[in-house]
């Protein structure tokens, strides 16, 4: 069964600092997604990583994918308050013959001034 | 172009009742997926529809059902509501089945009393 695990689950950091969120998954997949969710809101797509070694950057966020290690990272550079949100990674997988998107538990990020 | 829309946005029902939620995908998108989000279980895949046919299904009881119309709009129905069905129900659309970035709607927040 495909399992997706994120860590940490909670992260409180100061503005200006750097940090990394990790996403591990248990079976082979060539497609990994990162989403952002603000409180009470829906999911906003951040990145789609399609191949081993893929790296994508948008502003202060950078995501990478290592399919051999089954690991993706979301790196935050010089954090600002506006990045406070819950971040989810999700992996495409086939479970019992069905294609499914399996989400991690989410990382609740709080950035303090 | 307009995003994914879901109606209603909020709903309160009592145990034993049934409920129907609606999702209109982005124009031109033919695949619609449904997810349940709860604090305890996180984001879980319910089902996916493409060309009016259910293509994938998650591990939910038969009380959860859905359908898709010829204009790609989708409805989800939950019968005999239980307290544990209280959740945010998210709909996502994509151009084709399974292999594209999904765009999420704002969600329907269901409270079962």
């Amino acid at each position: 069964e495909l399992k997706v695990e994120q860590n940490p689950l909670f992260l409180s950091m100061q503005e200006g600092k750097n940090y990394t969120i990790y996403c591990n998954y248990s079976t082979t997949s060539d497609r990994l997604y990162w989403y952002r969710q603000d409180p009470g809101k829906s999911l906003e797509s951040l990145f789609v990583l399609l191949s081993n070694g893929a790296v994508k950057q948008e502003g202060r966020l950078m995501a990478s994918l290592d399919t051999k290690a089954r690991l993706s990272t979301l790196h935050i550079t010089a954090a600002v308050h506006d990045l406070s949100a819950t971040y989810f990674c999700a992996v495409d997988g086939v479970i019992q013959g069905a294609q499914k998107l399996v989400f991690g538990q989410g990382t609740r990020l709080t950035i303090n001034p | 172009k307009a995003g994914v829309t879901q109606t209603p946005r909020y709903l309160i029902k009592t145990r034993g009742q049934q409920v129907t939620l609606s999702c209109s995908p982005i124009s031109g998108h033919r695949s619609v997926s449904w997810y349940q989000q709860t604090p305890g279980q996180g984001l879980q895949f319910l089902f996916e529809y493409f060309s009016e046919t259910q293509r994938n299904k998650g591990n939910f009881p038969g009380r959860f059902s859905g359908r898709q119309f010829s204009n790609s709009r989708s409805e989800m129905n939950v019968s005999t509501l239980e307290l544990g069905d209280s959740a945010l129900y998210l709909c996502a659309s994509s151009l084709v089945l399974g292999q594209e970035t999904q765009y999420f709607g704002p969600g329907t927040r269901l409270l079962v009393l």
Side-chain angles (χ1 to χ4, degrees):
Chain A
E1 181 183 341
L2 174 58
K3 291 187 178 179
V4 182
E5 293 187 350
Q6 290 180 233
N7 75 84
L9 299 184
F10 299 92
L11 178 56
S12 181
M13 52 194 293
Q14 286 186 315
E15 281 191 326
K17 300 291 186 182
N18 304 331
Y19 210 83
T20 301
I21 300 171
Y22 298 89
C23 174
N24 290 90
Y25 53 100
S26 60
T27 64
T28 302
S29 176
D30 290 331
R31 194 175 296 259
L32 188 139
Y33 304 83
W34 283 97
Y35 290 92
R36 167 183 172 148
Q37 186 177 39
D38 292 295
K41 305 289 186 181
S42 188
L43 295 170
E44 173 191 354
S45 177
L46 294 175
F47 302 107
V48 182
L49 302 170
L50 302 177
S51 60
N52 187 42
V55 177
K56 290 196 174 180
Q57 183 165 5
E58 180 73 32
R60 300 175 187 275
L61 300 178
M62 184 174 72
S64 66
L65 177 62
D66 181 344
T67 58
K68 294 179 182 178
R70 297 176 186 166
L71 170 69
S72 180
T73 60
L74 180 66
H75 187 73
I76 302 149
T77 302
V80 294
H81 179 69
D82 286 351
L83 291 179
S84 296
T86 298
Y87 293 85
F88 292 91
C89 65
V91 176
D92 261 342
V94 177
I95 301 173
Q96 296 177 336
Q99 187 84 26
K100 295 181 184 177
L101 193 60
V102 179
F103 284 83
Q105 313 96 307
T107 297
R108 184 176 294 181
L109 174 63
T110 302
I111 299 170
N112 304 304
Chain B
K1 55 185 175 182
V4 178
T5 58
Q6 292 186 245
T7 56
R9 294 292 310 280
Y10 303 93
L11 205 50
I12 300 176
K13 292 285 189 179
T14 56
R15 280 181 298 175
Q17 287 187 309
Q18 67 94 28
V19 67
T20 299
L21 312 181
S22 181
C23 171
S24 292
I26 291 172
S27 177
H29 284 196
R30 297 171 60 196
S31 177
V32 173
S33 297
W34 288 90
Y35 297 86
Q36 182 196 64
Q37 186 177 26
T38 60
Q41 299 298 317
L43 273 154
Q44 294 185 286
F45 171 77
L46 279 158
F47 25 64
E48 180 175 26
Y49 286 86
F50 181 78
S51 293
E52 302 177 62
T53 303
Q54 186 180 95
R55 303 298 179 131
N56 293 299
K57 189 177 190 302
N59 296 324
F60 279 81
R63 301 185 296 107
F64 291 81
S65 63
R67 58 178 176 168
Q68 187 181 33
F69 302 94
S70 59
N71 62 358
S72 296
R73 189 177 70 85
S74 177
E75 288 183 346
M76 190 191 94
N77 185 274
V78 187
S79 62
T80 319
L81 283 166
E82 300 177 0
L83 295 179
D85 297 333
S86 295
L88 179 67
Y89 290 89
L90 293 166
C91 163
S93 77
S94 58
L95 273 171
V96 296
L97 180 67
Q99 297 300 320
E100 289 286 339
T101 298
Q102 295 184 339
Y103 297 87
F104 283 80
T108 294
R109 191 166 294 278
L110 172 65
L111 177 61
V112 181
L113 300 175

